[in-house]
Amino acid sequence: MAKRIEVSGLNAYYGGFLAVEDVSMTIEPRSVTAFIGPSGCGKSTFLRTLNRMHEVIPGARVDGKVMLDDQDLYGDKVDPVAVRRVVGMVFQRPNPFPTMSIYDNVAAGLKLNGVKGKSELDGIVETSLKGANLWNEVKDRLPKPGAGLSGGQQQRLCIARAIAVQPQVLLMDEPCSALDPISTLAIEDLIAQLKSQYTIVIVTHNMQQAARVSDRTAFFNIAGTGKPGKLIELDETSKIFTNPTEKATEDYITGRFG
Amino acid sequence: MSVLTAKTGQAIPETSLGRKLKDRTVLIAVYVAFALAVIPLVSVLYKVISEGVQVISADFLTRSMNGIGGRDAGGGVYHSIVGTLEQVALASAMSIPIAVLTAVYLVEYGQGKRLAKTISFFVDVMTGIPSIVAGLFVLAFWILVLGFEVSGFAGALALGVLMIPTVVRSAEEMLKLVPNELREASYALGVPRWRTVMKVVLPTAFTGIVTGIMLAVARVMGETAPLLLTIWVTKVINFNAFQGAQSSLPTYIWEQASDPNQVAVARAWGAALTLIFIIMVLNIGARLLARRTSIR
């Protein structure tokens, strides 16, 4: 299921503003890649270019290449909607659909894409909720609203919703920043399980989290306000946190700035 | 200055007389304002109900004015109820889809585009149209230029013109309240934009949109001027909104109230109460519908 992502020479713009400049990297399948860096350095923007969510914002555009195995996500004939079915996403703030039940939230991606069979849906909802470690907590109240769950449960519900459409890649944009430490731990455990099946990319402000969950870490930085964000280095997590090649990375990791 | 120099061990000062006085004054002002706002509302309701119940009977609700002269007692509003319900239903059927889709365009697709700004401007202009102008427009265009006859449908056209801007505005505000995160969550699942609008955005805003529609319906149900020009007046029951003059509750009230006879004026009160009652029932119905569709 998991696929490798190869990015080359990618620039992301908001209108005339260059937010991310010239990023090239390879993201390995069945592993967790963490993006770290100070606020405004473009890591979330870059993440959103990987499933073409960036261009949802009016005026935003991208140039460069993002290869998912051997397919260019920005190819002329590629439908962005189809890209997002293959590259799923979990957001910073849990955002279950307020009008839908827990069941319908998980089934949303399938139902809205035309899967109708009740037994098929039941099966996928159960596996997805189990996959998100939420099944035992909600199996008795599937018809209740998803917005009634706690923040941590809602976030796992959103993860269940994202994996229900069976993507190849899962992008997570600071998935734990709105959660308490216990829920964070639950999500981190889940990430460790999910990486056997998916390519996972996670943006985080928490360096301990990056060190705990990721196999490889990418450090982004900006030269100053109004300047574009750049990829400084990408390496094995253990190397980034113990012996980074770049001085800027070391300064950031050791807390000398940022 | 004593507060600034408060020393340790000093008690928290009591609320000063000045503050108590201000608190009282504002509180009284708020109550008085509320009472003033409620007086006209309650007195209108009281008058309509107390006068109306004397007239309303099964007979009054199930008979038309056919064959009843101005001075005769009896007669009823059945033909007007039929007219009002048909005209408002037709107006709603025509204008609600147009208005809601316009709002969807403005919020979901048109952001920042010149077309959207133009539409928005004209919707604002339409909001300010006096209702009689809408009636004149239909009279001039539909009846005089295109040559269609006076009918309930012509009235519905005029009412529709009045409904569109209010529904667009309220639906637009409701759609804007839907958090962008929900749209993004849906896009990220690989759901196309139109389905996101249909299955995520509109259901989330549903209750608010229904409330806005109900306000618009209630407003046009009481419109008299545009109907006088477009449906004419009749004393008989006409079920066909597409042919011939039709009655309606507001024009009936106007007609009866301008008759100097006591029996006619009484009928006007009865019709007024009937109209208020119908609007109330529709309102409650819409609320129940909105509540049933939201899960809990």
Side-chain angles (χ1 to χ4, degrees):
Chain A
M1 277 177 82
K3 291 196 176 185
R4 170 182 282 105
I5 304 172
E6 269 190 84
V7 183
S8 48
L10 183 131
N11 297 309
Y13 302 84
Y14 291 102
F17 174 69
L18 178 60
V20 175
E21 187 180 22
D22 194 26
V23 173
S24 300
M25 68 162 70
T26 303
I27 295 166
E28 297 294 338
R30 287 188 196 79
S31 71
V32 179
T33 304
F35 292 173
I36 59 170
S39 289
C41 69
K43 50 196 190 309
S44 287
T45 303
F46 176 67
L47 187 79
R48 290 166 62 96
T49 64
L50 299 180
N51 68 342
R52 298 193 63 168
M53 282 294 285
H54 177 64
E55 65 208 69
V56 167
I57 297 160
R61 64 195 171 84
V62 171
D63 58 41
K65 233 180 185 181
V66 179
M67 301 295 289
L68 189 68
D69 280 356
D70 46 11
Q71 203 182 9
D72 185 0
L73 297 186
Y74 286 91
D76 286 339
K77 287 178 185 162
V78 174
D79 176 5
V81 172
V83 169
R84 294 176 204 136
R85 282 177 203 160
V86 180
V87 185
M89 188 159 195
V90 176
F91 296 83
Q92 184 170 358
R93 290 235 311 263
N95 53 1
F97 298 124
T99 52
M100 295 185 194
S101 64
I102 294 172
Y103 181 98
D104 285 339
N105 258 288
V106 180
L110 300 159
K111 270 192 177 170
L112 299 185
N113 283 319
V115 177
K116 290 265 157 62
K118 176 92 174 72
S119 58
E120 193 187 349
L121 282 176
D122 284 351
I124 296 173
V125 167
E126 185 174 341
T127 15
S128 306
L129 282 170
K130 278 181 177 159
N133 282 336
L134 192 61
W135 176 251
N136 285 327
E137 289 156 68
V138 301
K139 64 178 177 220
D140 300 321
R141 46 173 172 157
L142 293 177
K144 291 270 160 70
L149 298 172
S150 77
Q153 289 173 327
Q154 285 188 20
Q155 193 61 304
R156 278 179 283 151
L157 180 64
C158 293
I159 294 176
R161 181 175 69 185
I163 59 182
V165 291
Q166 291 163 316
Q168 318 273 333
V169 179
L170 204 53
L171 307 177
M172 298 181 154
D173 190 356
E174 298 183 42
C176 302
S177 64
L179 305 182
D180 69 294
I182 308 237
S183 309
T184 301
L185 191 66
I187 305 263
E188 286 181 8
D189 287 346
L190 176 58
I191 292 171
Q193 288 169 26
L194 292 174
K195 79 171 179 181
S196 60
Q197 293 175 62
Y198 301 93
T199 306
I200 294 179
V201 186
I202 176 171
V203 168
T204 176
H205 268 294
N206 180 334
M207 283 184 271
Q208 287 78 17
Q209 181 171 64
R212 283 194 299 264
V213 301
S214 72
D215 302 297
R216 283 155 62 82
T217 298
F219 173 63
F220 287 79
N221 202 1
I222 33 170
T225 326
K227 303 261 174 55
K230 285 183 181 179
L231 173 65
I232 305 298
E233 68 174 306
L234 166 64
D235 215 323
E236 299 296 321
T237 298
S238 55
K239 182 154 186 302
I240 291 275
F241 281 96
T242 52
N243 184 24
T245 318
E246 298 290 329
K247 177 84 170 58
T249 315
E250 193 181 332
D251 287 351
Y252 184 73
I253 304 280
T254 52
R256 234 163 281 166
F257 87 99
Chain B
M1 292 312 282
S2 64
V3 181
L4 283 176
T5 57
K7 296 183 183 80
T8 47
Q10 202 170 4
I12 297 167
E14 283 178 15
T15 317
S16 70
L17 193 67
R19 266 208 53 182
K20 274 185 191 159
L21 215 65
K22 269 188 217 159
D23 180 48
R24 283 281 140 195
T25 320
V26 173
L27 195 67
I28 290 167
V30 168
Y31 276 119
V32 168
F34 173 70
L36 286 177
V38 166
I39 287 169
L41 185 71
V42 170
S43 58
V44 165
L45 266 182
Y46 172 76
K47 185 74 178 160
V48 171
I49 292 172
S50 61
E51 298 274 350
V53 284
Q54 297 171 26
V55 188
I56 286 189
S57 63
D59 245 25
F60 183 72
L61 294 174
T62 52
R63 284 184 188 213
S64 74
M65 292 295 287
N66 201 1
I68 292 172
R71 283 177 218 168
D72 302 339
V77 287
Y78 184 65
H79 60 313
S80 305
I81 296 176
V82 168
T84 283
L85 290 180
E86 284 189 3
Q87 288 146 22
V88 172
L90 280 171
S92 303
M94 287 184 290
S95 63
I96 291 171
I98 294 176
V100 172
L101 289 176
T102 305
V104 165
Y105 172 77
L106 289 177
V107 178
E108 303 295 324
Y109 294 91
Q111 291 295 4
K113 288 192 187 139
R114 172 168 270 164
L115 177 61
K117 282 181 189 148
T118 317
I119 292 174
S120 213
F121 173 74
F122 280 110
V123 168
D124 279 341
V125 171
M126 275 176 84
T127 316
I129 293 182
S131 59
I132 192 151
V133 175
L136 281 170
F137 163 69
V138 173
L139 176 68
F141 182 68
W142 183 256
I143 297 173
L144 298 180
V145 173
L146 296 182
F148 289 97
E149 64 176 321
V150 164
S151 68
F153 181 73
L157 284 177
L159 296 183
V161 168
L162 292 169
M163 272 183 84
I164 288 175
T166 39
V167 176
V168 171
R169 270 283 161 266
S170 60
E172 193 186 351
E173 293 309 317
M174 290 304 140
L175 291 172
K176 277 188 193 157
L177 286 181
V178 175
N180 225 356
E181 293 159 12
L182 295 181
R183 297 186 180 91
E184 293 206 332
S186 178
Y187 296 151
L189 291 172
V191 179
R193 202 164 180 181
W194 68 273
R195 276 206 110 120
T196 302
V197 171
M198 293 296 294
K199 301 284 180 176
V200 176
V201 179
L202 283 176
T204 308
F206 183 75
T207 314
I209 294 177
V210 168
T211 309
I213 288 173
M214 277 323 299
L215 286 174
V217 166
R219 188 202 147 185
V220 299
M221 251 192 188
E223 283 295 348
T224 320
L227 293 180
L228 285 173
L229 298 170
T230 48
I231 63 170
W232 226 238
V233 281
T234 177
K235 291 179 157 195
V236 299
I237 301 165
N238 177 6
F239 282 107
N240 188 352
F242 295 93
Q243 207 175 36
Q246 217 179 16
S247 188
S248 77
L249 283 167
T251 54
Y252 178 92
I253 295 168
W254 174 80
E255 207 185 310
Q256 298 295 326
S258 48
D259 191 312
N261 276 296
Q262 207 44 51
V263 281
V265 174
R267 278 195 290 262
W269 283 116
L273 183 58
T274 312
L275 181 59
I276 291 176
F277 183 74
I278 291 176
I279 291 173
M280 196 185 72
V281 167
L282 284 179
N283 245 312
I284 293 171
R287 274 213 187 161
L288 290 179
L289 174 80
R291 189 176 304 171
R292 230 183 44 168
T293 45
S294 69
I295 55 160
R296 49 192 58 236

